[in-house]
Amino acid sequence: MAGHSKWKNIAHRKGKQDAARGKIFTRLSKEIMVAARQGGGDPTANARLRLAISKAREHNMPNDNIERVIKKATGELEGVNYEEISYEGYGPAGVAVYVEVVTDSRNRAASDMRHIFSKYGGNLGESGCVSWMFDKKGIININKADITIDEEELLLLALDAGADDLIGDEDAFEIVTEPDSFEQVKEQLVAADIQINSSEITMVPQNTISLTGDDAKKMLKLMEKLEENDDVQNVYANFDISDEDMQKYHS
């Protein structure tokens, strides 16, 4: 979980930079569009769309933008046809890397993934080669400074709501849920006046590989280049890097 959390912190900082360039809205729009195409444009009947809209609102995407994307997905407005593809491979020291792509060009996406993996110290693998090393989980992040109850009270509240676990560090708590109970846990936390910093359904590694020195530097560069690709929605990897090396090698 440590590697997951550290990279998400980096991704969060990067997300702020992306927002200035408009990239984060593009990724959120793609997620809304795919969700609406698959399950319909009514968020009350489409859990994935509800989650995508919630994430868009967390990033202050205007409602007009959200509604326009849904209309494009359902055919009310003309729009681009996107498809979801996953790519799996390995980074330095055998780190498992799982990439989720939403693209309007399968050939371009495949070419880009091969190029990035090979240029930055990785190897693109076959479908299924690393996905088994990750579990799909709901992660709800809460800043310690934002709540008045202690860890034991928060744990009991989370477990009663249907969560699996509570993990704390110096500054924050992460509540872990199964995907099916994610929305229920969020709703009960909000009802209890618990301020949520961020929430998502993500892929959590079952085990992590500790990286140092050159391997750590190469791994962070690979992750950075994958995240920068316009077709990439999410990147997951099972590495763990010390805070010192994280600060040293991540620009």
Side-chain angles (χ1 to χ4, degrees):
M1 189 59 120
H4 163 82
S5 301
K6 288 175 184 175
W7 178 254
K8 295 310 288 186
N9 286 337
I10 288 174
H12 178 67
R13 291 198 296 273
K14 181 182 177 301
K16 290 182 179 179
Q17 298 164 0
D18 282 350
R21 298 193 298 266
K23 286 182 68 174
I24 192 70
F25 276 15
T26 301
R27 292 186 179 185
L28 292 166
S29 295
K30 285 182 179 180
E31 175 61 24
I32 291 170
M33 186 170 288
V34 170
R37 279 220 173 110
Q38 288 186 352
D42 179 7
T44 61
N46 183 341
R48 181 174 177 182
L49 180 58
R50 281 199 305 276
L51 180 60
I53 291 172
S54 175
K55 190 181 295 184
R57 286 175 175 157
E58 284 179 9
H59 287 86
N60 300 314
M61 178 181 272
N63 284 331
D64 286 349
N65 294 36
I66 295 170
E67 291 171 10
R68 188 162 55 249
V69 172
I70 293 172
K71 286 179 178 179
K72 287 180 179 180
T74 57
E76 295 177 65
L77 295 174
E78 186 177 347
V80 179
N81 185 28
Y82 290 109
E83 63 177 319
E84 290 182 289
I85 312 168
S86 61
Y87 294 92
E88 303 178 38
Y90 301 92
V95 168
V97 183
Y98 184 86
V99 186
E100 294 176 342
V101 164
V102 175
T103 182
D104 60 352
S105 172
R106 178 179 284 265
N107 289 339
R108 181 188 67 231
S111 175
D112 285 351
M113 291 303 103
R114 282 194 298 269
H115 172 74
I116 293 170
F117 269 90
S118 63
K119 184 174 181 178
Y120 295 99
N123 295 289
L124 196 60
E126 297 294 322
S127 178
C129 67
V130 302
S131 56
W132 61 273
M133 301 182 195
F134 297 84
D135 295 318
K136 184 170 279 193
K137 296 286 186 182
I139 302 291
I140 301 168
N141 183 278
I142 297 166
N143 288 330
K144 288 185 174 181
D146 291 337
I147 60 173
T148 56
I149 63 175
D150 62 25
E151 182 171 356
E152 185 176 350
E153 289 176 293
L154 182 60
L155 174 60
L156 289 174
L157 178 62
L159 293 178
D160 285 345
D164 290 345
D165 199 4
L166 175 72
I167 300 167
D169 62 20
E170 186 176 341
D171 301 313
F173 292 113
E174 284 190 342
I175 294 173
V176 184
T177 79
E178 291 299 319
D180 289 346
S181 59
F182 175 73
E183 284 193 88
Q184 173 187 309
V185 174
K186 269 188 70 176
E187 288 171 3
Q188 294 199 32
L189 289 170
V190 171
D193 293 326
I194 301 297
Q195 184 174 330
I196 293 172
N197 178 45
S198 64
S199 62
E200 64 181 335
I201 292 179
T202 186
M203 300 285 277
V204 177
Q206 297 169 2
N207 298 289
T208 57
I209 295 174
S210 294
L211 299 181
T212 58
D214 197 45
D215 282 341
K217 184 177 181 180
K218 288 179 178 177
M219 187 68 233
L220 290 173
K221 178 60 72 173
L222 173 61
M223 292 289 287
E224 181 182 326
K225 292 302 178 181
L226 288 168
E227 287 274 358
E228 285 176 356
N229 184 271
D230 287 340
D231 287 333
V232 170
Q233 288 290 98
N234 296 294
V235 186
Y236 308 106
N238 68 340
F239 66 87
D240 189 17
I241 296 174
S242 71
D243 292 337
E244 182 181 356
D245 278 353
M246 191 72 75
Q247 293 294 328
K248 182 177 179 181
Y249 295 126
H250 185 264
S251 56

